[in-house]
Amino acid sequence: METWDEVRTAYQVARVGTVSGAAEVLGVHHATVIRHIDALETQLGVKLFQRHARGYTATEAGQDLLQVARATDDQFAQLAGRLRGQGEGMSGPLVVTYLDELSPMMTPALVRFRARHPDLLVRAITGARVFRLEYGEAHLAVRAGAAPQEPDNVVQPLGALQVGLFAATAYLDRRGRPRTDADLAAHDFIGPETPENRAPFYQWLARSIPPERVCFRARESRVLADAVRAGAGLGFVSLASAAQMDGVEAVMPPREAWAPRLWLVTHVDLHRSAKVQALLGFLKEEAKSWP
């Protein structure tokens, strides 16, 4: 495409709003930006921008061009992400994303996987953000809850996260040990920042415990687990995490209704690459021994 440089320049001008800003993004001189805009307007025979003291504002024709350029830029970004992720064999970067709660299981598994393939550079990214695999943001995601429905993703089951109700021994010595669900009403609870949290164990909490009994709330799973350890009340902790916590004991064992399903998610373009296939098989075997 002979005019792609000019179109890309116009896109950045429309996006940023100034010639100097577009020049900085593109890494060119501002005179180059002006020359590209003038050449493109001459070729198309229309004004793409209204010039004013504050910068450049796209005309109706410029907005039409912007939509096409944005779609093209997105497609190039997706292609670049997929190409970066393909790599050759068992070397180069391997980006895996998963929830903080899965770290006691996933992180040691990834360490063992890299020990088998020392030419890999493993990047483990945790948190609640859903990374866009179609943009090459990650090679593989482990997600919890309902099966992901994004198009062009390959989704495979990985079991369920076993979650129980735990509390600090010091808290239970002070407040007593509940034996039945009816006993729970006399206790303080630790819960998510928003009662609408979709985790099945927190949905159970919202249905079963009065909201005023949830006396300590937080967003991050690490903070919630620390609150359990510190004696703030009863809280949900995965069995894998609880095994690494001193001074806590199980109040109620895991229930099937509390267990979120786990899913391995890859993008169709990277699914068949050697390192993704190797990691998928490895994690499926590892999951057989997870609590």
Side-chain angles (χ1 to χ4, degrees), residues 4 9 20-21 62 72 74-76 78 81 89 101 108 112-113 123 129 144 156 174 187 204 271-272 284-285:
W4 171 241
T9 299
S20 59
T72 304
D74 284 347
Q75 289 173 351
F76 272 124
Q78 292 182 41
E101 292 91 329
R112 289 189 287 271
F113 182 73
R123 291 185 58 218
R129 179 193 161 197
Q156 301 176 336
R174 185 174 71 252
H187 285 270
W204 177 90
H271 180 70
R272 291 296 175 189
K284 290 174 184 177
E285 285 299 315

Side-chain angles (χ1 to χ4, degrees), residues 113-125:
F113 182 73
R114 190 192 170 275
R116 295 187 180 185
H117 307 286
D119 291 333
L120 288 173
L121 170 61
V122 175
R123 291 185 58 218
I125 306 176

